[in-house]
Amino acid sequence: MSSSQENAAQPQEQSVSVSATQAESSAHDDFDWSIDKKHVSTYSPEEWERYEKTYEKTFRNIEENEIIKGTVVGLTDSDAIIHIGYKSDGLVSLNEFRDMPGLKVGDEVEVLVVEKEDRNGQLVLSRKQARLLRAWERIVEAYKTGEVITGTVTSKTKGGLIVDIHGMETFLPGSQIDVKPITDYDQFVGKTMEFKVVKINEAIKNAVVSHKALIESDIEQQRMEIISRLEKGQVLEGTIKNITDFGAFIDLGGVDGLLYITDISWGRISHPSEVLKLDQKINVVVLDFDDEKKRISLGYKQLMPHPWDTLPENIKEGARVKGKVVNIEDYGAFLEILPGVEGLVHVSEVSWASTPVNAKEFFKLGDEHEAVIVTLNREERKMSLSIKQLTPDPWENIEEKYPVDSRHKGIVKNLTPYGVFVELEPGIGGMIHISDLSWTKRYNHPSEYTKPGEEIEVVILNIDKQSRKLSLGHKQLEEDPWNTFETIFPVGSIHEGTVLKKDEKGALIQLQYGVEAFAPARQLKTEDDHTIQVDDVIEVMIQEFDRAEKRIVVSHTKVWEQRKHQEREAAHKEKKAEAEKTRKAVKNVQSKIEKATLGDLGVLAEIKEKMKQAEEENKQQKPEEGDKPAS
């Protein structure tokens, strides 16, 4: 467009603009601004306040987590529409109405307000949570009041059952199902039963119920009624419901009594099942009962006569009987002759031997033994028995069979630090004292010479018939060699010996013929201070010979001391003899000299000098003459 054309158009546009402005101004002035762009009228503040109050009166105030009643106003394929009088209705899943299969519009139900308005602005309700909360309130109330409630066992779980009570799951422990032990839990699944709430946990809303408590309550009422009619000595009929090691429990028709094992039979039994059986009906007598502890003690054997009261006449003193070992004590064993009739075999009545008998080694429970009745007291119900009296007393003719100085062979039965016990025959034995084992050797313990089970020859030294003891000897089989040893080992004689043992007190020396001697430590000193060791062969001198005590004391030191003394004595005698010989020669010369010559004087001077030296040596030897050999 040219500039001329633009200029021509400008006045025309300006005129249009002005006219439009005028028209717009007049329209704004005439418009009702109280009407919004949707053409809806607004209310004044007074009207708003009035209408809000009227509107609020049509709805109820609700709070979250509140249980409230609502009405089913509609049903869909998946939900129920619940009207609770609020500004909007809530939806509840039909899964929460499984217990109401005939749900229809118009039904009233309880629901829990979960949220008044979720993020979508919708009301959130829950019938399931409302049922759980109501169920918990009822369970807590039942726990506090002790009310009995009804529930349905829905399933089995570890250690018990799950019970639905008013829509809430509770736990029924296996031990609380019944008063008697239950092993098959499946038989209760699906059953509707009565329960008592025995424990609740508010924090996690958990409850434990018991059916057993109801049964025990009924039983307790029956128990109180039965016990109120009980009397001591009353005979009742009962059924054996349980057997234990210590007795049996008897059902007396709603109350249990205990029949102890000691009250089942007059005889000894190891277990009640030897006499009783489960579910067996028996008559029992009431021995005692405790109203406070609700205990009833029963008796079974008391309905039968005591065996001692019907003891046969052939059971008398001197009679032979057979019995079973029913009890073993340190002092003996009890034999059951008849059921309920026992006799004691004392350890002293087991064997004629004087050696003690260990009852727990000799007797075994259940073994049978024959015995003789020694004493019998029917009134006190006591009997003593003897096993050894089944055979004659071997000590009656002991002097004839085993006279003093007679020789016999026996078996070593036992060893003690002081001797050896030897059995010559069953019931006859004696002891060899350790000092009577050998004439020559001294033993620290008999085990150095013999051991149990070995055969040994003995000599009867003495008989003590009253105490039933024999004194035996072994060394007495040979003559006492000490009569001969006194001539072989006189005091002062020297012998070779071998060192057998050595300690701080001295050494044990073995001489010839197996004789042992003792050398004190101070008598073991050697000439060159050499230490004598075990197995060394040394010379010793007899210092002491005691025939009565069979003891020889020797010394090694005296041997070399005496030898040195003898050597000094020999040297001294030799010098003394030479001096005497010189003296005699001088005297002989002097007697022949008639006149002295210079040469003779020289010879005499030489002889005189020799004599002087001999006298001086003689003087030096004189102190040594006081030394004498030790005895």
Side-chain angles (χ1 to χ4, degrees):
M1 183 181 289
S2 64
S3 61
S4 62
Q5 290 174 336
E6 291 178 357
N7 292 332
Q10 286 179 355
Q12 193 174 10
E13 291 177 357
Q14 290 178 352
S15 63
V16 174
S17 170
V18 170
S19 62
T21 303
Q22 291 175 349
E24 194 173 303
S25 173
S26 62
H28 288 171
D29 294 338
D30 297 336
F31 185 74
D32 186 0
W33 292 100
S34 64
I35 300 174
D36 63 11
K37 58 187 177 180
K38 292 183 178 179
H39 305 285
V40 178
S41 298
T42 60
Y43 300 103
S44 65
E46 293 79 9
E47 290 176 321
W48 270 111
E49 184 178 357
R50 187 175 70 253
Y51 288 143
E52 282 181 353
K53 288 181 179 178
T54 303
Y55 178 75
E56 287 175 357
K57 287 181 181 178
T58 64
F59 298 101
R60 65 171 71 171
N61 291 325
I62 62 173
E63 299 293 336
E64 291 184 356
N65 296 321
E66 178 185 359
I67 296 177
I68 194 167
K69 281 190 176 183
T71 305
V72 179
V73 295
L75 294 171
T76 69
D77 292 339
S78 60
D79 299 298
I81 303 170
I82 310 296
H83 175 66
I84 61 171
Y86 193 52
K87 61 184 179 181
S88 63
D89 295 334
L91 294 178
V92 179
S93 173
L94 291 177
N95 288 331
E96 298 188 23
F97 294 94
R98 290 179 179 176
D99 61 319
M100 297 178 65
L103 183 68
K104 62 184 183 298
V105 175
D107 287 347
E108 280 194 351
V109 293
E110 278 191 332
V111 291
L112 177 74
V113 179
V114 180
E115 286 184 277
K116 292 191 291 185
E117 223 176 88
D118 64 5
R119 63 183 180 180
N120 297 322
Q122 294 179 344
L123 174 66
V124 181
L125 305 175
S126 173
R127 180 174 181 268
K128 178 182 178 181
Q129 293 187 37
R131 290 187 67 209
L132 290 176
L133 189 57
R134 283 294 187 213
W136 179 249
E137 290 175 353
R138 293 174 185 173
I139 289 172
V140 172
E141 183 66 20
Y143 174 72
K144 292 179 179 178
T145 61
E147 177 188 354
V148 177
I149 56 179
T150 302
T152 301
V153 179
T154 59
S155 63
K156 181 178 72 173
T157 186
K158 183 179 180 181
L161 299 169
I162 300 298
V163 180
D164 184 320
I165 297 179
H166 302 306
M168 186 171 191
E169 290 185 345
T170 59
F171 179 59
L172 172 62
S175 61
Q176 295 299 316
I177 298 175
D178 204 337
V179 290
K180 59 184 179 181
I182 299 296
T183 56
D184 181 15
Y185 293 169
D186 292 327
Q187 61 178 311
F188 295 96
V189 176
K191 285 188 177 182
T192 300
M193 305 165 62
E194 290 185 332
F195 302 96
K196 187 174 183 181
V197 182
V198 294
K199 185 178 181 181
I200 62 171
N201 189 323
E202 291 278 6
I204 61 174
K205 287 185 170 51
N206 175 264
V208 178
V209 296
S210 171
H211 180 66
K212 174 183 176 181
L214 299 178
I215 300 175
E216 288 179 336
S217 178
D218 294 339
I219 292 176
E220 184 61 25
Q221 292 180 1
Q222 296 178 10
R223 178 191 295 269
M224 295 297 295
E225 185 178 351
I226 294 173
I227 289 180
S228 65
R229 301 197 302 265
L230 282 181
E231 293 180 2
K232 289 184 180 180
Q234 185 178 4
V235 178
L236 303 171
E237 185 183 56
T239 304
I240 300 171
K241 63 181 294 186
N242 191 21
I243 296 177
T244 67
D245 292 338
F246 56 86
F249 289 94
I250 312 297
D251 183 357
L252 301 174
V255 62
D256 289 347
L258 178 58
L259 176 60
Y260 281 101
I261 187 171
T262 53
D263 291 314
I264 293 176
S265 171
W266 289 114
R268 292 179 186 256
I269 57 174
S270 57
H271 197 273
S273 59
E274 296 176 18
V275 179
L276 307 176
K277 294 181 181 180
L278 282 174
D279 300 325
Q280 177 184 355
K281 290 186 179 295
I282 59 172
N283 288 331
V284 289
V285 61
V286 178
L287 301 180
D288 197 6
F289 60 91
D290 189 331
D291 290 334
E292 293 182 1
K293 296 181 179 180
K294 310 297 186 296
R295 291 178 180 174
I296 305 174
S297 297
L298 305 173
Y300 181 64
K301 70 180 184 182
Q302 287 79 2
L303 297 176
M304 297 174 280
H306 198 288
W308 275 92
D309 297 334
T310 58
L311 198 63
E313 291 297 326
N314 61 346
I315 303 296
K316 57 185 178 180
E317 294 181 2
R320 289 193 176 197
V321 292
K322 283 186 178 180
K324 180 176 68 174
V325 178
V326 292
N327 188 29
I328 304 172
E329 301 292 345
D330 292 336
Y331 52 83
F334 289 89
L335 301 187
E336 188 178 55
I337 308 306
L338 296 170
V341 178
E342 298 173 7
L344 172 64
V345 181
H346 194 270
V347 288
S348 62
E349 292 296 325
V350 173
S351 171
W352 290 111
S354 58
T355 53
V357 173
N358 186 323
K360 293 183 178 180
E361 290 181 359
F362 183 85
F363 294 102
K364 301 296 178 186
L365 284 175
D367 285 356
E368 283 195 353
H369 290 273
E370 189 176 9
V372 174
I373 299 176
V374 179
T375 62
L376 179 65
N377 190 323
R378 292 174 181 265
E379 293 180 359
E380 295 184 7
R381 296 175 177 175
K382 290 182 179 180
M383 181 190 303
S384 63
L385 306 173
S386 174
I387 293 177
K388 71 180 184 181
Q389 292 189 28
L390 292 170
T391 58
D393 185 358
W395 285 86
E396 287 297 326
N397 58 349
I398 190 71
E399 297 93 343
E400 299 175 7
K401 193 170 184 179
Y402 298 99
V404 174
D405 294 332
S406 61
R407 297 186 177 194
H408 306 274
K409 287 185 179 180
I411 302 298
V412 177
K413 303 298 289 185
N414 190 26
L415 301 179
T416 68
Y418 51 84
V420 180
F421 285 94
V422 179
E423 184 183 64
L424 302 179
E425 65 174 78
I428 300 294
M431 189 190 76
I432 307 173
H433 194 272
I434 190 171
S435 61
D436 288 320
L437 289 174
S438 174
W439 289 111
T440 57
K441 286 191 175 183
R442 292 179 178 271
Y443 296 102
N444 294 320
H445 193 276
S447 59
E448 298 175 8
Y449 183 80
T450 185
K451 60 184 178 181
E454 287 187 346
E455 187 178 66
I456 189 171
E457 194 172 1
V458 296
V459 174
I460 307 297
L461 302 181
N462 185 47
I463 299 174
D464 186 346
K465 190 172 182 178
Q466 184 175 0
S467 300
R468 295 176 177 264
K469 292 181 180 178
L470 293 178
S471 295
L472 308 176
H474 179 68
K475 70 181 183 180
Q476 288 79 2
L477 295 169
E478 302 173 353
E479 292 186 9
D480 187 354
W482 285 84
N483 297 327
T484 307
F485 291 160
E486 195 169 11
T487 60
I488 298 175
F489 304 105
V491 174
S493 60
I494 297 174
H495 307 269
E496 273 193 353
T498 303
V499 180
L500 298 178
K501 296 179 182 178
K502 185 183 177 186
D503 56 25
E504 58 183 9
K505 295 181 179 179
L508 187 65
I509 312 297
Q510 186 177 49
L511 305 177
Q512 58 265 45
Y513 306 111
V515 178
E516 294 178 356
F518 177 71
R522 67 178 182 278
Q523 298 297 335
L524 292 174
K525 183 178 179 183
T526 60
E527 187 174 0
D528 56 357
D529 290 330
H530 167 70
T531 302
I532 293 176
Q533 303 292 339
V534 174
D535 294 333
D536 284 354
V537 178
I538 59 174
E539 286 188 318
V540 292
M541 179 184 291
I542 307 299
Q543 296 291 294
E544 180 183 343
F545 185 94
D546 190 333
R547 181 180 176 280
E549 295 294 330
K550 307 293 189 291
R551 184 179 63 183
I552 300 176
V553 180
V554 297
S555 169
H556 172 70
T557 304
K558 293 295 183 181
V559 174
W560 60 265
E561 283 184 347
Q562 179 175 286
R563 187 176 293 120
K564 286 185 66 175
H565 177 74
Q566 289 174 347
E567 289 175 355
R568 289 195 298 268
E569 278 290 318
H572 174 66
K573 288 180 180 179
E574 185 179 351
K575 290 180 179 180
K576 188 175 181 181
E578 186 178 351
E580 181 64 24
K581 182 178 178 181
T582 303
R583 188 182 65 78
K584 288 181 179 180
V586 171
K587 186 176 180 181
N588 186 35
V589 170
Q590 286 178 344
S591 64
K592 293 180 180 179
I593 296 176
E594 294 178 355
K595 186 177 181 180
T597 63
L598 288 175
D600 295 333
L601 290 174
V603 174
L604 290 172
E606 185 179 351
I607 292 173
K608 187 176 182 181
E609 183 63 27
K610 288 183 177 181
M611 292 178 64
K612 186 176 180 181
Q613 289 179 1
E615 289 178 359
E616 289 179 356
E617 289 180 0
N618 191 25
K619 289 179 181 179
Q620 292 177 359
Q621 293 291 337
K622 283 182 178 180
E624 297 180 358
E625 292 179 0
D627 295 340
K628 296 181 180 180
S631 58

